[in-house]
């Protein structure tokens, strides 16, 4: 039995990056040998075991054979004659197909070190095209290592296009698409993930509502970048600078989906794009099986982001209605997430990246003023039921009118 460190740990070690987790492959053994040593089995599709002390994953060396469409359509061979080279050959990228033996020597049968030097993400073998998840993974890796100068090899990008054209990508299940997308949103350059998917044609199949924004013009005086798709990616970039929250990042990306539905005869203006965005967001959410909190925030940002941009112009009544629609009186954290998305939108424009966004603080202050109202005092005055609700509403509007006058005076 021989044990090797494999995959991402070897790759990142060679890049001089921190190694956050280690995966191991076991060659020349079967499951019984690991069980006898106290390893715990966890693999469902093929034998993976947890080390009894470190709890790191140890997998038996394996070969794969394509048996059906999609990422689940494989049979596995884990007999003890499978070599290390056989196991590495089934991996996606050359930079992930390296191993390290106990002495520290690197085993690199497929040129991973060469491609690290060239800053290339290149497939190991034509078997790459058998697993559509690899399209998402390579896009995510590009988003992770883009800052180091990595790019996708042209022949690999062509394989990805072929996978889209042959329909292999259509076999991806929503949960896996969202899982990879959510992880990509927290890479150093998540906008690259969506750019790669668009480049190979997968974005049009997996997220057509987002893909439809590219090429849609906007008014140059407000959007010097012109293209709505580019603005969406720029908004995502700004959201990443403002927040680690997944919902904030994704809602910022898709806040303008309604602009793809703007009638051609009124372009580059986009009257009514806010409400128009509701339907495509719901459609996208259904396709990706989005978590409820992300869908809710995305819908609110789409419908009300221009309210936030015009916050200082809103009447007290409109402000109060906005807070109610956001459910901000009960959930003030919702306003905070909303404001971050709107700030990302405002700054996600060429030349506007460093502009101040006082609207966010204005709304935060307005909500704080409303939340300072003492409901118990109103109850003590005898208000109950519907009358209490009306009294609270009246107080909020009075407070907001005073807040607005004070802010204008300053």
């Amino acid at each position: 039995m021989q044990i090797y460190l494999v995959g991402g740990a070897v790759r990142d070690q060679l890049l001089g990056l921190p190694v956050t987790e280690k995966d191991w492959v076991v060659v020349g053994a079967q499951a019984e040998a690991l069980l006898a040593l106290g390893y715990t089995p966890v693999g469902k599709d093929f034998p993976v075991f947890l080390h009894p002390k470190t709890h790191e994953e140890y997998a038996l060396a394996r070969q794969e054979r394509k048996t059906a469409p999609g990422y689940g359509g494989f049979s596995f061979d884990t007999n003890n004659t499978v070599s290390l080279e056989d196991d590495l050959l089934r991996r996606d990228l050359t930079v992930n197909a390296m191993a390290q033996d106990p002495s520290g020597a690197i085993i690199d049968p497929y040129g991973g070190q060469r491609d690290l030097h060239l800053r290339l993400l290149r497939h190991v073998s034509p078997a790459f095209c058998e697993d559509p998840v690899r399209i998402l993974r390579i896009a995510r890796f590009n988003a992770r290592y883009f800052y180091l100068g990595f790019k996708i090899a042209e022949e690999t990008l062509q394989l990805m296009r072929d996978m889209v054209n042959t329909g292999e990508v259509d076999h991806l299940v929503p949960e896996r698409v969202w899982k990879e997308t959510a992880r990509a949103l927290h890479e150093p350059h998540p906008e690259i993930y969506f750019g790669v998917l668009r480049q190979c044609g997968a974005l049009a199949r997996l997220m057509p509502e987002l893909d439809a924004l590219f090429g849609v013009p906007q008014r140059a005086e407000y959007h010097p970048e012109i293209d709505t798709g580019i603005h969406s990616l720029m908004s995502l970039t700004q959201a990443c600078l403002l927040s680690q929250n997944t919902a904030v990042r994704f809602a910022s990306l898709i806040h303008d989906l309604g602009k793809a539905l703007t009638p051609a005869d009124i372009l580059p203006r986009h009257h009514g794009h806010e409400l128009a965005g509701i339907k495509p967001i719901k459609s996208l959410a259904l396709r990706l099986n989005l978590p409820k909190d992300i869908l809710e925030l995305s819908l609110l940002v789409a419908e009300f982001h221009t309210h936030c941009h015009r916050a200082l112009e809103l009447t007290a009544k409109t402000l109060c209605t906005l807070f109610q629609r956001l459910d901000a009186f009960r959930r003030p954290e919702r306003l905070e997430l909303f404001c971050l998305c709107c700030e990302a939108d405002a700054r996600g424009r060429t030349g506007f990246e460093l502009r101040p966004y006082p609207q966010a603080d204005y709304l935060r202050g307005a909500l704080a003023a409303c939340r300072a109202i003492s409901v118990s005092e109103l109850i003590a005055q005898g208000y109950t039921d519907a009358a209490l609700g009306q009294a609270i509403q009246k107080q909020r509007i009075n407070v907001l009118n005073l807040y607005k006058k004070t802010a204008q005076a300053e």
Side-chain angles (χ1 to χ4, degrees), residues 165-350:
N165 293 335
T166 59
E168 184 69 29
V169 74
D170 299 329
H171 295 284
L172 285 167
V173 297
E175 291 76 14
R176 193 58 191 264
V177 175
W178 174 247
K179 179 181 178 181
E180 292 294 332
T181 300
R183 293 179 69 183
L185 288 170
H186 291 275
E187 300 291 2
H189 284 278
E191 74 281 1
I192 297 299
Y193 172 81
F194 297 97
V196 169
L197 293 184
R198 181 166 182 265
Q199 195 176 5
C200 71
L203 191 65
R205 306 289 272 271
L206 301 174
M207 307 177 203
E209 299 85 357
L210 178 60
D211 186 72
L213 293 178
F214 290 89
V216 176
Q218 302 168 107
R219 293 176 62 180
E221 62 268 38
Y222 299 120
H223 286 277
E225 71 286 349
I226 306 294
D227 190 293
T228 307
I230 293 174
H231 164 60
S232 297
L233 296 183
M234 293 177 71
S235 297
L236 171 60
T237 297
Q238 291 299 315
C240 293
L241 296 174
L242 293 168
S243 175
Q244 289 288 324
N245 186 284
T246 304
V248 168
R249 294 182 174 196
F250 196 68
S252 298
L253 174 69
I254 66 171
H255 73 281
D256 267 347
L257 291 191
K259 288 185 177 179
L261 303 177
T262 300
D265 61 339
I266 69 168
L267 291 174
R269 299 177 183 274
H270 291 277
H271 299 304
H273 76 277
E274 301 90 347
L275 283 174
I278 300 300
K279 184 176 179 179
I281 287 176
K282 288 183 176 179
S283 175
L284 181 62
L286 185 63
R287 184 178 300 103
L288 298 183
N289 198 14
L290 282 183
K292 182 180 178 182
D293 64 317
I294 295 179
L295 171 59
E296 289 179 348
L297 181 64
S298 298
L299 291 171
L300 290 169
V301 173
E303 185 171 356
F304 296 111
H305 63 275
T306 53
H307 278 59
C308 191
H309 299 335
R310 297 184 293 106
L312 281 68
E313 306 166 19
L314 301 181
T315 65
K317 184 176 180 181
T318 302
L319 265 178
C320 193
T321 300
L322 175 62
F323 292 150
Q324 288 171 331
R325 291 295 304 274
L326 294 173
D327 198 17
F329 294 124
R330 291 192 313 117
R331 301 168 60 186
E333 71 280 0
R334 176 72 72 76
L335 176 70
E336 182 61 27
L337 300 180
F338 172 78
C339 285
L340 290 170
C341 293
C342 295
E343 184 171 352
D345 172 31
R347 290 183 174 177
R349 300 177 289 165
T350 300

Side-chain angles (χ1 to χ4, degrees), residues 5-76:
L5 181 67
V6 294
V10 180
R11 176 197 66 227
D12 288 347
Q13 180 178 283
L14 291 172
L15 285 171
L17 300 174
V19 174
T20 56
E21 64 179 50
K22 295 181 178 179
D23 293 314
W24 307 82
V25 67
V26 181
V27 178
Q30 292 186 317
E32 293 76 16
L34 292 180
L35 292 173
L37 293 172
Y39 287 72
T40 305
V42 294
K44 295 180 179 179
D45 299 322
F46 50 86
V48 176
F49 303 83
L50 297 183
H51 190 282
K53 293 182 179 179
T54 67
H55 302 293
E56 292 171 344
E57 289 193 357
Y58 287 67
L60 295 182
R62 70 183 190 268
Q63 290 179 304
E64 298 175 350
R65 185 170 64 87
K66 185 75 168 175
T67 58
Y71 73 95
F74 292 91
S75 64
F76 302 96

Side-chain angles (χ1 to χ4, degrees), residues 62-175:
R62 70 183 190 268
Q63 290 179 304
E64 298 175 350
R65 185 170 64 87
K66 185 75 168 175
T67 58
Y71 73 95
F74 292 91
S75 64
F76 302 96
D77 178 9
T78 59
N79 74 72
N80 57 8
T81 65
V82 177
S83 69
L84 176 63
E85 289 73 15
D86 290 335
D87 183 89
L88 296 177
L89 181 63
R90 69 173 177 78
R91 296 175 184 267
D92 51 3
L93 301 173
T94 60
V95 297
N96 295 332
M98 296 180 286
Q100 185 178 50
D101 70 15
S103 72
I106 300 298
I107 297 94
D108 179 18
Y110 305 111
Q113 292 179 95
R114 173 203 63 204
D115 286 342
L116 283 181
H117 177 72
L118 295 174
R119 295 300 195 250
L120 277 181
L121 300 174
R122 190 198 312 269
H123 64 283
V124 177
S125 77
F128 177 95
C129 65
E130 295 177 349
D131 184 356
V133 170
R134 289 176 169 176
I135 291 177
L136 304 174
R137 279 174 51 83
I138 196 170
R140 181 165 57 79
F141 280 129
N142 203 182
R144 178 183 300 177
Y145 297 113
F146 179 77
Y147 77 100
L148 292 176
F150 275 83
K151 62 180 181 179
I152 301 172
E154 183 54 42
E155 60 268 33
T156 302
L157 192 58
Q158 186 57 53
L159 267 187
M160 295 162 68
R161 294 190 184 104
D162 293 343
M163 293 166 72
V164 172
N165 293 335
T166 59
E168 184 69 29
V169 74
D170 299 329
H171 295 284
L172 285 167
V173 297
E175 291 76 14

